[in-house]
Amino acid sequence: MANYKVEEISAPKLDLGEGPHWDIKSQSLYFVDLFEATIHRWDYRENKSYSASVEGCTWTSFIIPVKGRSNEFVVGDGTRLVLITWNGIADKAKTLKVIADLGDTEKTNRFNDGKADPKGRLFAGTMKAEHSGNPFEMNSGKLLRFHAKSGKFVEQFDRVFISNGLAWNSEANKFYYVDSGAYAIKVFDFDDNGDLSNGNLFFDISENSKQPKEFPDGMTIDTEGNIYSAILNGSRVLKISPSGQILQEIMIPTKQITSVAFGGPNLDELFVTTGNKTSIEAQGPPAGATFKVSGLCVRGFPMTELEL
């Protein structure tokens, strides 16, 4: 097993760091502080981070660059998808428009994790908003696919507790999906239209979960088809084989491991976001830090920009 090195990058400590997205063009890691409605960019060459609040937003669940549009991104804000512009340096990002809203029927829910699939289509999931109840007890969430041309959502499935990690293996036509409240990762077949079928349990953490309850959070995949799942309350990222076997535990020096993404010049470094908001135990530094893991001897796929 490869020897790896874990380093904290030069970035602020966040209440709930989430949504890491590696941008190849700028050689930067974008990520969010979900409850603080802030977005962040860590510049690889400068080893320096920049942060901004987002005009008119209450949450920032994820941030995804828009293909072919300089300095434009889509963020998730409650029930809304919001198009913003940010030069990656200023301390405020401007809202250009709301491109979609789930509406009043979903007002007690909010967007959580979201990513563009290999063809640039947005997949985003919802969960019960914290002010409306306990999302571990209410499976009111859904997984949705957004059609940019029509501005409409296509529901993939419902009865989700906490919609979380998303990963695609295009070579095998497999889609991996985390429902944190079910303590599980599922695997689906997907077709050219993005439609999902044949959902099955891929990995169940409940047998290995400890107190306070550990659960899978954000997720990514390497070029060999192995899944990397952040384990919140678990101080680790699990590397899981395509057959569902744990291959490696990547230990991170804080408890709330929220999400992961491959990046760096060779896409061989794993970036890990963490939080310091939802734990039942008080945490000190480096809770909320963002980490870079090197020496894993694997590579990830380039992350996809959103087609609008």
Side-chain angles (χ1 to χ4, degrees):
M1 188 62 66
N3 294 318
Y4 61 87
K5 180 180 180 181
V6 179
E7 304 170 80
E8 182 179 342
I9 68 171
S10 178
K13 304 292 193 300
L14 306 180
D15 279 341
L16 190 59
E18 278 283 8
H21 181 104
W22 179 258
D23 181 60
I24 291 177
K25 294 193 300 293
S26 65
Q27 289 292 289
S28 295
L29 182 74
Y30 289 90
F31 50 107
V32 303
D33 194 346
L34 194 153
F35 293 126
E36 296 300 314
T38 56
I39 55 177
H40 305 267
R41 181 180 72 89
W42 178 72
D43 189 296
Y44 191 96
R45 300 182 186 95
E46 296 179 358
N47 187 26
K48 181 179 179 180
S49 64
Y50 301 86
S51 303
S53 60
V54 181
E55 176 188 25
C57 286
T58 303
W59 289 287
T60 47
S61 298
F62 52 82
I63 180 169
I64 306 172
V66 177
K67 186 175 181 180
R69 301 191 192 180
S70 177
N71 299 333
E72 290 191 13
F73 306 84
V74 168
V75 298
D77 172 38
T79 60
R80 309 187 307 166
L81 299 180
V82 181
L83 181 67
I84 68 169
T85 182
W86 184 43
N87 64 4
I89 298 174
D91 62 4
K92 293 184 179 180
K94 180 179 176 58
T95 292
L96 297 177
K97 64 178 179 178
V98 176
I99 60 174
D101 194 328
L102 296 176
D104 288 343
T105 59
E106 297 289 328
K107 64 183 180 181
T108 62
N109 287 342
R110 67 164 176 85
F111 280 116
N112 199 40
D113 209 354
K115 284 183 182 177
D117 79 354
K119 291 191 174 183
R121 298 169 293 208
L122 175 64
F123 280 69
T126 63
M127 58 179 280
K128 181 64 68 178
E130 286 79 0
H131 60 76
S132 298
N134 184 346
F136 282 93
E137 298 174 352
M138 300 179 179
N139 62 344
S140 65
K142 300 175 181 178
L143 180 66
L144 304 166
R145 185 176 78 239
F146 178 63
H147 276 207
K149 289 184 178 180
S150 67
K152 304 292 185 182
F153 293 96
V154 176
E155 183 178 315
Q156 304 299 288
F157 47 80
D158 60 4
R159 298 185 180 181
V160 173
F161 288 96
I162 302 175
S163 190
N164 235 316
L166 311 159
W168 290 263
N169 183 336
S170 296
E171 293 184 1
N173 291 326
K174 298 294 183 183
F175 168 70
Y176 297 86
Y177 173 75
V178 170
D179 182 348
S180 295
Y183 301 93
I185 304 173
K186 296 189 75 173
V187 60
F188 298 80
D189 295 328
F190 75 92
D191 62 22
D192 286 343
N193 294 324
D195 292 322
L196 308 178
S197 60
N198 302 321
N200 289 292
L201 180 66
F202 172 69
F203 183 79
D204 182 355
I205 196 175
S206 59
E207 294 182 359
N208 299 311
S209 189
K210 304 171 185 177
Q211 295 297 331
K213 198 71 171 176
E214 301 174 356
F215 55 86
D217 204 313
M219 180 170 59
T220 192
I221 189 170
D222 69 21
T223 56
E224 298 174 356
N226 300 304
I227 291 295
Y228 295 74
S229 176
I231 306 299
L232 198 132
N233 291 327
S235 301
R236 67 197 193 278
V237 175
L238 292 182
K239 177 181 179 181
I240 306 169
S241 74
S243 63
Q245 303 302 308
I246 297 175
L247 299 179
Q248 186 178 16
E249 290 187 317
I250 302 165
M251 304 307 298
I252 307 296
T254 188
K255 294 183 71 172
Q256 293 182 31
I257 315 305
T258 57
S259 196
V260 288
F262 280 104
N266 300 310
L267 298 178
D268 61 353
E269 296 168 300
L270 186 70
F271 290 93
V272 182
T273 55
T274 72
N276 187 32
K277 185 130 184 137
T278 59
S279 177
I280 62 173
E281 298 177 1
Q283 293 189 84
T290 305
F291 297 91
K292 178 179 72 173
V293 184
S294 55
L296 293 171
C297 299
V298 295
R299 296 186 64 191
F301 293 103
M303 296 191 74
T304 312
E305 296 175 319
L306 182 61
E307 298 266 9
L308 278 186

